[in-house]
């Protein structure tokens, strides 16, 4: 399992936690003790000679520096989306990573260290850097949803924490509507996690789930939005698969419109509460659930998928359930109609094909077609 060396209240550590969570990757944390200057100990300096968190260890790969870690995670697990393949988009992402290491670090980060933790800094210099940064971001985001391209990338995650921590840094975001809308979009992404001190919209309804201070925006955009291209349809299918493999009904429900209409097998449901109750019931009886979905066809705001999932009941009997779904989305990318037809095939444990550690299916795992399903 990946291991993150971190400080709880460090925005640079948070950007790695956020990236891992957005990618549904399992990880463990080691809280480095700033109070006893553990980051300057010989053991820690062997991990990072600069004596700073975050550091990520993944098997025999060790990465220091939050920007480098995002690049590593985006490229390794981001499906060609979080770390774009195209050279021109990749270059823009790297430019924003540089901005995160320079302007963000010398602007909002220093102001937060000063106002929240009492560090002596040149306040007017940090305020000037912050003003220039926020103007550049406001301009970039005035006609697009994300810093690079048409979907979120590691660039957004790299810049996000210290801008979102504006309240801690005594930075007023009211003159920057495009930045505020961007913060809300990030906070609405599936798998989003926040940290104490972050900006939250007054106009939208947040709810806190679990003990990870997860702020989930109830009404929001769910990119990618229709009309779909082949790439965005594939992305939408993978996001749905990832969300269902989390087996978290409250999180999954937010991808549907508040009045979403479902037929699941022979059961008819309407609305998020009914969906959440349905999913809770589902995973109370379907154990060791693992799902693979695959795009079948798409047109404008509709997508058709095939899927299979493996699970066992409380008697230990295993099943592979095969299904087809028809999806229809509203303009915000929320699913307003879902029609699912499913058949359960009893299988022996030895016939199981889906054996990855529960959670997100690894990128190099075979697809449905690879299995001939
Ligand atoms: N460029 C590095 C900066 C890391 C950094 O500034 N880490 C701070 C916490 S946010 C730290 O470890 N400070 C303790 C120290 O410097 O002794 C990154 O992005 O990871």
């Amino acid at each position: 399992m990946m291991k993150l060396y971190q400080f709880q209240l460090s925005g640079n550590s948070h950007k790695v936690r956020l990236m891992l969570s957005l990618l549904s990757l399992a990880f463990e944390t080691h809280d480095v003790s700033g109070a006893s200057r553990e980051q300057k100990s010989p053991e820690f300096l062997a991990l990072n000679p600069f004596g700073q968190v975050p550091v990520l260890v993944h098997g025999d790969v060790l990465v220091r520096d939050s920007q480098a870690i995002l690049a590593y995670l985006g490229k390794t697990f981001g499906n060609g989306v979080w770390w774009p393949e195209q050279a021109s988009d990749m270059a823009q992402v790297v430019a924003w990573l540089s901005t995160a290491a320079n302007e963000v670090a010398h602007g909002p980060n220093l102001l937060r260290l000063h106002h929240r933790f009492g560090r002596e800094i040149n306040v007017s210099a940090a305020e000037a850097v912050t003003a220039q940064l926020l103007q550049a971001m406001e301009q970039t985001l005035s006609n697009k949803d994300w810093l690079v391209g048409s979907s979120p990338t590691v660039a957004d995650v790299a810049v996000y924490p210290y801008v979102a921590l504006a309240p801690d840094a005594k930075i007023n975001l009211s003159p920057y509507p495009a930045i505020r809308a961007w913060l809300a979009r990030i906070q609405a992404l599936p798998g989003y996690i926040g940290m104490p001190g972050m900006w939250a919209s007054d106009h939208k309804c947040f709810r806190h789930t679990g003990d990870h201070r997860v702020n989930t925006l109830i009404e929001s955009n769910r990119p990618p939005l229709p009309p779909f291209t082949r790439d965005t349809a594939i992305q939408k299918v993978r996001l749905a698969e990832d969300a269902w493999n989390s087996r978290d009904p409250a999180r999954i429900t937010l991808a549907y419109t508040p009045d979403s209409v479902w037929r699941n097998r022979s059961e008819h449901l309407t609305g998020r509460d009914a969906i959440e109750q349905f999913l809770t019931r589902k995973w109370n009886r379907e154990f060791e659930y693992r799902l693979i979905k695959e795009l079948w066809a798409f047109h404008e705001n509709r997508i058709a998928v095939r899927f299979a999932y493996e699970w066992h009941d409380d008697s230990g009997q295993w099943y592979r359930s095969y299904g087809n779904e028809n999806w229809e989305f509203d303009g915000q990318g929320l699913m307003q109609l879902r029609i699912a037809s499913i058949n359960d095939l009893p299988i022996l444990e030895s016939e199981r094909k889906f054996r990855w550690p529960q959670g997100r299916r690894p990128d190099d795992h075979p697809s449905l077609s690879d299995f001939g399903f």
Side-chain angles (χ1 to χ4, degrees), residues 1-8 10 12-14 16-17 20 27-33 38-39 41 43-48 51-59 61-66 69:
M1 177 164 333
M2 277 187 264
K3 185 164 182 177
L4 173 65
Y5 292 81
Q6 61 158 9
F7 291 164
Q8 279 291 344
S10 136
N12 287 321
S13 299
H14 183 70
V16 178
R17 292 195 295 267
L20 288 161
F27 65 103
E28 59 185 2
T29 52
H30 173 95
D31 284 331
V32 174
S33 166
E38 185 188 343
Q39 74 273 20
S41 66
E43 294 77 20
F44 191 84
L45 290 172
L47 299 175
N48 179 2
Q52 292 187 317
V53 294
V55 170
L56 185 79
V57 178
H58 179 211
V61 177
L62 184 152
V63 193
R64 64 158 179 89
D65 187 280
S66 58
I69 297 170

Side-chain angles (χ1 to χ4, degrees), residues 20-317:
L20 288 161
S21 180
L22 291 170
L23 293 170
S24 305
L25 294 169
F27 65 103
E28 59 185 2
T29 52
H30 173 95
D31 284 331
V32 174
S33 166
S36 53
R37 299 197 45 82
E38 185 188 343
Q39 74 273 20
K40 307 298 184 206
S41 66
E43 294 77 20
F44 191 84
L45 290 172
L47 299 175
N48 179 2
F50 292 94
Q52 292 187 317
V53 294
V55 170
L56 185 79
V57 178
H58 179 211
D60 52 10
V61 177
L62 184 152
V63 193
R64 64 158 179 89
D65 187 280
S66 58
Q67 277 61 246
I69 297 170
L70 295 194
Y72 175 75
L73 293 174
K75 169 80 176 151
T76 312
F77 303 105
N79 266 331
V81 177
W82 289 93
W83 183 261
E85 305 283 359
Q86 212 189 355
S88 56
D89 281 350
M90 190 189 70
Q92 285 191 54
V93 166
V94 174
W96 282 109
L97 295 187
S98 265
T99 305
N102 289 291
E103 286 79 2
V104 175
H106 298 124
N109 168 50
L110 281 187
L111 288 174
R112 175 170 177 261
L113 286 174
H114 176 70
H115 291 294
R116 170 84 205 263
F117 300 106
R119 170 151 350 149
E120 283 299 314
I121 63 160
N122 180 338
V123 173
S124 54
E127 284 176 346
V129 175
T130 301
Q132 190 195 24
L133 166 75
L134 295 179
Q135 276 155 26
M137 289 182 65
E138 183 71 14
Q139 198 180 344
T140 304
L141 294 166
S142 60
N143 57 2
K144 60 210 287 280
D145 285 351
W146 307 102
L147 291 174
V148 179
S150 55
S151 51
T153 65
V154 300
D156 300 286
V157 182
V159 176
Y160 172 78
Y162 290 107
V163 175
L165 287 164
D168 261 4
K170 296 203 192 309
I171 298 166
N172 177 14
L173 290 179
S174 7
Y176 304 105
I179 293 178
R180 284 184 281 118
W182 171 78
L183 293 175
R185 272 192 292 278
I186 292 178
Q187 292 176 353
L189 289 171
Y192 172 79
I193 51 171
M195 68 178 276
M198 284 186 157
W199 173 92
S201 163
D202 297 325
H203 311 295
K204 302 259 172 98
C205 168
F206 283 85
R207 79 175 166 190
H208 294 266
T209 57
D211 58 0
H212 290 95
R213 296 189 187 87
V214 179
N215 294 331
T216 312
L217 193 59
I218 306 289
E219 302 296 340
S220 59
N221 269 0
R222 272 284 158 149
L225 308 182
F228 297 111
T229 62
R230 183 174 164 73
D231 281 351
T232 60
I234 288 172
Q235 204 184 335
K236 201 81 175 166
V237 173
R238 181 68 196 222
L239 286 169
E241 179 193 304
D242 293 348
W244 282 57
N245 275 327
S246 78
R247 292 163 289 116
D248 177 347
R251 165 183 163 189
I252 296 165
T253 305
L254 297 173
Y256 301 90
T257 59
D259 55 355
S260 188
V261 173
W262 281 30
R263 176 176 65 74
N264 195 87
R265 301 175 187 244
S266 54
E267 196 172 342
H268 292 261
L269 311 168
T270 303
R272 285 181 176 161
D273 285 346
I275 293 171
E276 191 169 332
Q277 285 162 21
F278 165 82
L279 292 173
T280 305
R281 281 199 310 276
K282 171 182 170 70
W283 286 310
N284 279 339
R285 62 179 208 93
E286 293 179 355
F287 302 99
E288 290 280 324
Y289 172 95
R290 290 173 179 82
L291 165 74
I292 304 183
K293 284 186 189 288
E294 192 169 294
L295 177 69
W296 180 254
F298 66 94
H299 178 64
E300 295 183 347
N301 69 336
R302 288 184 169 180
I303 296 178
V305 295
R306 315 182 304 107
F307 64 88
Y309 60 91
E310 292 183 351
W311 57 285
H312 70 78
D313 65 18
D314 56 6
S315 74
Q317 170 63 53

